[in-house]
Amino acid sequence: MCPRKTTSQELTRERILEKSRTQFVEKGFQQISMRSIAKELGCSHGAIYYHFKNKAELFYAIVEEDFSKLNNRLEETIQGPENDSTKLYNILINFIEFGLNNQSQYEIMFMVRNTEVDSLSQVAANHSYRIFAQTIQSLSKKKLEIINVWSAFLALHGFVSHYRGYVDNFDEARLAAESHVNFIIKGLNE
């Protein structure tokens, strides 16, 4: 068991998620164990099992939390007072901004692959993609084929993937991102 810690160091679900997210990104899913996470937290691995039944569940909780943050950003944009064209632009630019300002989370959400957790991760990813696709469809000036929405998503993902690791945040790629989003919108509206 963990030795008694002060309130600021209590072993919370959030603290476990924060420390393990970093380890998953830096070392990869296969190289991390509940024991290595416990060591990083300064407690026994049994204390982590109180919150998560296994490593896959812990990883999924991270992915689910990150997709929830992205989905909330999309929802906030949809609810904004802007017209549909501005909302469409903002949805696309916010996706890139999220990816570049949260590079480790983005990597876990979209780039970490492991058979042990892929099916769990896909549930959250598919839900988020459905929200994205429905939003793009509803904001577009014309009826879009699903392949066009998917291509727009892949173009956004490709942009984030390309700049991930080369820039520290969105502001460093803002001009390129704005140009890229305008290019995607032009393709969707033709």
Side-chain angles (χ1 to χ4, degrees):
M1 292 299 245
C2 285
R4 187 73 180 137
K5 298 180 183 229
T6 61
T7 306
S8 65
Q9 293 181 330
E10 285 294 324
L11 184 64
T12 62
R13 181 177 170 87
E14 291 73 29
R15 191 157 173 259
I16 295 168
L17 292 172
E18 176 187 325
K19 289 290 187 182
S20 56
R21 174 183 283 113
T22 303
Q23 285 193 20
F24 283 127
V25 169
E26 290 174 358
K27 299 176 184 170
F29 181 82
Q30 293 294 10
Q31 305 308 314
I32 300 303
S33 67
M34 296 297 254
R35 287 183 189 275
S36 67
I37 293 167
K39 184 177 178 183
E40 181 75 20
L41 289 163
C43 69
S44 73
H45 66 282
I48 297 174
Y49 284 111
Y50 175 78
H51 296 278
F52 302 96
K53 71 179 180 181
N54 57 38
K55 181 172 72 167
E57 183 180 281
L58 172 58
F59 185 84
Y60 179 69
I62 292 169
V63 170
E64 192 173 49
E65 181 180 275
D66 293 340
F67 274 112
S68 180
K69 288 176 186 175
L70 176 60
N71 295 342
N72 288 340
R73 284 194 71 172
L74 295 176
E75 185 62 34
E76 288 170 9
T77 303
I78 295 165
Q79 300 304 322
E82 298 87 5
N83 64 39
D84 286 354
S85 293
T86 303
K87 285 181 184 181
L88 178 60
Y89 175 87
N90 288 339
I91 289 286
L92 301 178
I93 205 78
N94 282 340
F95 183 93
I96 292 174
E97 184 176 9
F98 177 87
L100 294 179
N101 285 343
N102 303 283
Q103 292 182 34
S104 13
Q105 289 97 320
Y106 190 88
E107 184 174 346
I108 287 175
M109 294 164 67
F110 292 102
M111 300 170 134
V112 172
R113 293 289 171 250
N114 181 282
T115 55
E116 201 174 338
V117 292
D118 271 353
S119 63
L120 293 174
S121 299
Q122 282 307 115
V123 171
N126 289 340
H127 175 71
S128 189
Y129 178 74
R130 274 193 301 280
I131 292 170
F132 174 84
Q134 290 167 351
T135 302
I136 298 302
Q137 285 281 11
S138 71
L139 296 175
S140 180
K141 291 180 181 179
K142 67 176 193 166
K143 177 80 172 133
L144 297 172
E145 294 182 33
I146 196 66
I147 190 67
N148 295 346
V149 176
W150 180 244
S151 294
F153 172 79
L154 289 177
L156 294 171
H157 175 63
F159 186 93
V160 174
S161 298
H162 175 75
Y163 280 93
R164 185 186 58 81
Y166 291 106
V167 298
D168 291 327
N169 57 51
F170 172 75
D171 287 334
E172 293 179 25
R174 179 182 297 276
L175 293 177
E178 290 169 349
S179 177
H180 190 66
V181 165
N182 285 325
F183 177 79
I184 293 169
I185 290 172
K186 184 179 177 185
L188 290 173
N189 289 329
E190 288 183 355

